[in-house]
Amino acid sequence: MKKNDGLAEGPGGLVHTARLPLSSATLNYLAGLIRGRCKRIDSRWRALPAGKIAGIVPAVLRCDQRPGDLAGGNGVHRTTVSRWVREVVGLLATRAPRLDRASKEIARKGGGVVLLDGSLIRTRRRTGADNRPNYSGKHKCHGLLVIALTDDRGRPVWISAVRPGRTSEITACRHDKLTAKLRAAGLGAIADLGFVGLDDAAPDADPAVITGYKAARHRPLTCGQKFSNKVPAAVRAPVEHGFAHLKNWRVLGKVRTDPRWATALVRALPVLTNRKVAR
């Protein structure tokens, strides 16, 4: 009896397609970045043209396609696709706005309030000394904390560097000197109850971070305080939508790569998100 262990789809491989909800302008923008990068480093050859690479990289980021799967369907090696993804992510991350510049830009356009929130990006469980710092007791899983500012429409205007999951949101904001930079730009931030105590300004100064009232064990909220909490909760709805748009990139569903690369990843995706939402 002859034993046949060959692939059922044949030597050429079975190729499937995935739909990318991106505009042609966004793909042309990525292709332009890749061509500019090749020109700067004087690289006159790529295994595939820039337009084709601009379609492969969003498939990895948006649909969380494995580089090995895309490599087989396009006749390149898996490491080549991984290198393209890291190259494009690095190009986009350098175009992410800094906190002070983003604050001044919003103030210049007449905005007075931004929306502040934090989110946890799940990662694989680490081993050894890297295990405990990434474990979030609040979410009961391993992940990385990221802080974001959005405008009143929910568009991300600034993304912080990722930090271990056990870091509190207030600690992350104080590390970035968030309140000082917001106050220097003349802006105020509306946040949830997790940011109570972040603004340590003088009692007679205008608050840089506006939050609701938090109940204590032996001090329940009054009716007026409960009503006041509904106002920032309703205003904060766009920031939740902004994080939802950001996490539509399925690569953030569970980061399987080196956490040190996650900062560039979360700063690159809002650049594409803003271009997609603005079209």
Side-chain angles (χ1 to χ4, degrees):
M1 182 176 178
K2 185 177 179 180
K3 186 177 181 180
N4 187 6
D5 292 334
L7 297 176
E9 61 270 17
L14 181 63
V15 181
H16 69 279
T17 59
R19 179 180 179 272
L20 292 176
L22 299 176
S23 64
S24 58
T26 303
L27 296 179
N28 292 334
Y29 173 73
L30 287 178
L33 292 181
I34 296 171
R35 294 189 187 99
R37 166 70 175 174
C38 294
K39 185 176 181 179
R40 285 193 301 272
I41 65 177
D42 197 18
S43 176
R44 301 181 181 180
W45 182 85
R46 282 286 196 271
L48 294 176
K52 189 72 173 180
I53 299 174
I56 293 176
V57 173
V60 177
L61 301 178
R62 183 74 179 189
C63 303
D64 199 16
Q65 294 285 332
R66 300 300 190 270
D69 298 337
L70 292 173
N74 292 277
V76 295
H77 197 269
R78 176 185 58 82
T79 57
T80 302
V81 176
S82 299
R83 185 176 69 252
W84 288 341
V85 172
R86 290 181 178 267
E87 184 180 35
V88 173
V89 166
L91 293 174
L92 292 172
T94 58
R95 285 158 176 78
R98 290 168 39 183
L99 177 57
D100 52 352
R101 294 178 181 176
S103 302
K104 292 178 181 178
E105 181 67 18
I106 293 177
R108 186 183 64 83
K109 293 181 178 179
V113 176
V114 292
L115 306 178
L116 171 65
D117 201 1
S119 182
L120 188 79
I121 300 174
R122 296 190 62 184
T123 61
R124 295 184 301 178
R125 180 175 179 178
R126 314 299 294 180
T127 58
D130 296 333
N131 181 34
R132 180 168 291 276
N134 287 344
Y135 182 78
S136 172
K138 176 181 177 181
H139 299 87
K140 301 297 186 293
C141 64
H142 291 77
L144 300 170
L145 177 67
V146 59
I147 305 296
L149 288 177
T150 68
D151 57 11
D152 54 357
R153 293 182 294 174
R155 297 181 57 184
V157 296
W158 173 76
I159 298 288
S160 71
V162 299
R163 290 182 173 83
R166 71 176 182 181
T167 307
S168 68
E169 296 172 336
I170 292 181
T171 302
C173 292
R174 287 175 176 169
H175 186 275
D176 292 324
K177 300 179 181 179
L178 181 64
T179 56
K181 293 180 179 179
L182 288 176
R183 189 171 283 110
L187 296 177
I190 299 178
D192 59 10
L193 297 181
F195 294 88
V196 173
L198 173 61
D199 193 358
D200 52 359
D204 55 344
D206 295 333
V209 179
I210 304 171
T211 60
Y213 296 94
K214 182 183 291 186
R217 177 176 299 180
H218 303 291
R219 189 183 59 195
L221 296 179
T222 64
C223 295
Q225 290 174 339
K226 291 180 181 179
F227 180 78
S228 299
N229 283 350
K230 294 181 180 180
V231 177
V235 175
R236 285 188 61 258
V239 72
E240 302 293 345
H241 297 162
F243 270 114
H245 282 299
L246 183 62
K247 290 189 175 181
N248 280 336
W249 299 90
R250 297 177 186 172
V251 70
L252 295 181
K254 194 171 187 179
V255 178
R256 293 179 295 272
T257 58
D258 190 346
R260 290 176 295 182
W261 184 64
T263 296
L265 181 62
V266 298
R267 285 179 172 173
L269 294 180
V271 178
L272 291 178
T273 301
N274 289 339
R275 295 188 65 88
K276 185 175 75 70
V277 172
R279 67 184 176 90

